[in-house]
Amino acid sequence: MRLSVLSAWLLTLFAGGLSLPAEAAAQAGQSRLVSAAPAGAQSNARIEVELVAMSAWAAPGSTAIVALRQKIRPGWHTYWRNPGDSGGPTTLDWALPTGIVAGDILWPLPQRQRLQDIVNLGYEGDVLLPVPIDIPASARVGGVVPLTVDAVLFVCSDEMCVPDSFTLRLDLPIREGAAPLAGADGAAIQRLVETAPRPAGITARATLVGDRLVLSATGGPLAGADITRATFYPFETGQISHDVALSAARGPAGLSLRLDPTDDLSAAGLTQPLSGVLATDAGAWEIVARPGPVLSGTDGEAVATDDAVAGRFDAGAAAQAVLFAFLGGLILNLMPCVFPVLALKAASLARSSRDAREARIDGFAYLAGVVVTFLLLGAGMLLLRGLGQEIGWGFQLQSPPVVAVLALLMLAVGLNLLGLFQIGLGLQAVGGSRLARLNGPIGAFFTGVLAVVVAAPCTAPFMAVALGAALVLPAPLALLVFLFLGLGLALPYLALSLSPRLLARLPRPGPWMARLQQVLAVPMFATALWLAWVFQRQQGGSAALLLLVGAILLGVAAWTFGRRQRLAAAGVVGGPLGVVSALSVAISVMVVVAATLVPPSNSVGSVEGAGPEARPWSPDAVAGALAQGRPVLVDFTADWCVSCKINERTALHTARVAEAVTRTDTVYLVADWTRRDPAIARELAAHGRSGVPLYLVYAPGEARPRILPQLLTEGLVIEALDEAR
């Protein structure tokens, strides 16, 4: 038989009776221990449930996230916090050791489930219900915390509804330091936590207009947002129909939805606020709509009213991400990271400018090197994030071994440009004394690889939005973003190589090219020195000293190798020089490996210059400052980020900005991402970014911060601080 409204009401009443002990325990603030429950998943014919953790372990004094995972069999469903017209929400009654406190469920957005005239709010398929667990600072490192919960779920089909009860246990390890995500489950829980609906400074009003209730909302993230779908999920029953809105509209200031009030509400009038989740294709937020007139600026263009999932990317959003990636790649050519490599490639193109076919091949080989490297970097980043690693753009530079290798690579490139040794046709002399360098398609391809490698420390305008979108797009579309980023970077050089008219304007090959290559060695040496400084900031002075020894040995290897090449070109065998060169390289590698194994230094990312006094960033630091009524400026930076350092020198660490920070009583917080930090990675992702720089200005009383441009000026920062105050 079909589930009637009366039987649904009885089941809901029964659910309330079952949950009374849990509510009473929660109100009394009690914490109890029960006999050990079986760890792992439990199941029946309707559902499989299990406790899973977001992170591999928890640190003393931290907040762990644990989720109730539901694998619901086909044809069955469970319920949201407001179940709708029937059913009942999942309830959790925790049994925890003394001092450990469980928070409320962070409910994901529900789906509407219709049966005749009944509309329920709930879940089908695989569902995760995250719960924050506060771990006391006194938790013993090396031990485990037993987390036990009595979970009561209403599991229903079209024909019947069953209140299932499970006692579940999870043993959570306690260790020091930031923990990695616990595999695919951990990554999925993190995404839910990041996108969970929360207050966002939205002003909302509920207005009875005839037989309709108009919900209007403005401010916060709604102002100017490109929203095409909107719906509302009420927290309480008995106020409005649980079906979708009758209509919705988007105005210049926000949204308005026309809802169907219940008969009781229409008769009694609207005296209490209407609370719930406003869900759109641009995000989902908790709102409280107080009785009052319809807010102005919320009517206009009609939008869809079907269930809107926050964070969903449609074709238009994906196309925007691809376009921004292409524009960001173009602008990347003007950034200081890439310019030396482009100058080097332009000199190479001048050598082949009199042969149009050779120039075209050179251009396409360079394009292939750029695109292949971007795709490999993108695939690697997506793969690591899928495995639970919290990383973003430039992640390879958070690894001290990678930084050390890149520093030595830039040193080797600089020595090659100086002519200390050659790569290529080592046995064929040119003009009796000069060896041919590695040009042609192979050289162009690896120059493209080098361009992408050195581009990592820079983030051009448009790139941040594109890369942030790539992290939440399906993998094929995400790789398309990286493809167009590479096309944008390679396009200027490719266009030059395909244009005979532009090639004809290049100077003829001559001795000037050798002098230019020697000049271009200088930025390569500067890059190597900068990377060595980054390595020192990551690993400390002792490790940097070992890296210096490795660099000296690499220089010895380059000189002996080049000397052997010149002797070979003159017909003289230089066997001992080859042995010395090989030994120098081998010892250099061992020394650099030893440098990467030195325990890292704790001093990373201190603020330099005449800038404002800085404090380390944390979510608690932001919340504490806002609670005191003070504006907050957050600087997400890294020592390996060239764009960040330029902004610091020109627009942040200056006397004028320091004076503005003092005058506006602003708290300046620095989130240093020089080394990998999962908390910073999560905060970047929460603002749609995958890398640094990111600059946020919080104003007291506003839930959402203002995001400043990636290229800053003093005036822009000071203006933002004045407005926040």
Side-chain angles (χ1 to χ4, degrees), residues 571-584:
V572 179
V573 178
L577 291 174
V579 174
V580 172
S581 178
L583 284 175
S584 298

Side-chain angles (χ1 to χ4, degrees), residues 391 394-400 538 640 673-677:
I391 58 174
F395 70 95
Q396 66 273 26
L397 293 176
Q398 293 176 322
S399 169
Q538 292 174 327
W640 43 261
W673 212 33
T674 302
R675 293 200 295 260
R676 191 170 298 176
D677 187 323

Side-chain angles (χ1 to χ4, degrees), residues 615-637:
R615 306 177 189 175
W617 168 86
S618 70
D620 290 341
V622 174
L626 292 176
Q628 298 172 4
R630 303 177 66 184
V632 180
L633 169 62
V634 184
D635 173 11
F636 290 84
T637 183

Side-chain angles (χ1 to χ4, degrees), residues 394-407 530-544 547 595-606 637-641 672-677:
F395 70 95
Q396 66 273 26
L397 293 176
Q398 293 176 322
S399 169
V402 172
V403 173
V405 169
L406 289 178
W530 165 69
L531 287 168
W533 173 77
V534 172
F535 184 81
Q536 182 269 329
R537 302 279 279 185
Q538 292 174 327
Q539 290 293 99
S542 299
L547 180 63
T596 62
L597 297 178
V598 173
S601 167
N602 291 325
S603 59
V604 177
S606 59
T637 183
D639 286 335
W640 43 261
C641 171
D672 194 290
W673 212 33
T674 302
R675 293 200 295 260
R676 191 170 298 176
D677 187 323

Side-chain angles (χ1 to χ4, degrees), residues 222-445:
L222 297 179
D226 185 16
I227 293 173
T228 60
R229 281 191 306 273
T231 194
F232 180 71
Y233 303 109
F235 286 156
E236 304 292 337
T237 61
Q239 293 179 306
I240 62 171
S241 165
H242 293 108
D243 211 337
V244 296
L246 299 171
S247 64
R250 180 185 69 186
L255 292 171
S256 61
L257 291 83
R258 294 173 62 84
L259 306 172
D260 185 12
T262 62
D263 293 340
D264 290 342
L265 183 66
S266 297
L270 189 62
T271 59
Q272 299 295 323
L274 178 63
S275 301
V277 172
L278 177 62
T280 75
D281 52 349
W285 309 279
E286 293 184 1
I287 63 171
V288 178
R290 305 189 183 282
V294 176
L295 297 172
S296 61
T298 59
D299 197 10
E301 180 184 355
V303 298
T305 58
D306 55 334
D307 288 347
V309 179
R312 179 188 298 167
F313 271 85
D314 55 20
Q320 182 190 59
V322 168
L323 175 61
F324 279 13
F326 181 73
L327 294 175
L330 279 175
I331 299 173
L332 200 57
N333 286 283
L334 304 177
M335 304 299 284
C337 308
V338 184
F339 187 75
V341 176
L342 294 182
L344 174 64
K345 205 70 206 97
S348 174
L349 188 61
R351 183 182 295 110
S352 59
S353 60
R354 305 308 162 187
D355 187 334
R357 180 177 178 275
E358 181 182 349
R360 286 196 300 271
I361 294 174
D362 198 62
F364 281 112
Y366 175 75
L367 170 67
V370 169
V371 168
V372 167
T373 309
F374 261 121
L375 289 176
L376 289 176
L377 271 178
M381 188 170 76
L382 295 173
L383 176 62
L384 290 174
R385 286 185 68 90
L387 294 174
Q389 297 295 313
E390 294 168 295
I391 58 174
W393 176 247
F395 70 95
Q396 66 273 26
L397 293 176
Q398 293 176 322
S399 169
V402 172
V403 173
V405 169
L406 289 178
L408 296 183
L409 175 63
M410 295 303 156
L411 174 63
V413 171
L415 295 175
N416 174 255
L417 291 174
L418 282 182
L420 200 62
F421 71 99
Q422 311 297 334
I423 301 174
L425 305 176
L427 299 178
Q428 296 180 4
V430 179
S433 62
R434 185 164 167 238
L435 301 173
R437 298 183 183 274
L438 181 62
N439 296 305
I442 297 177
F445 180 89

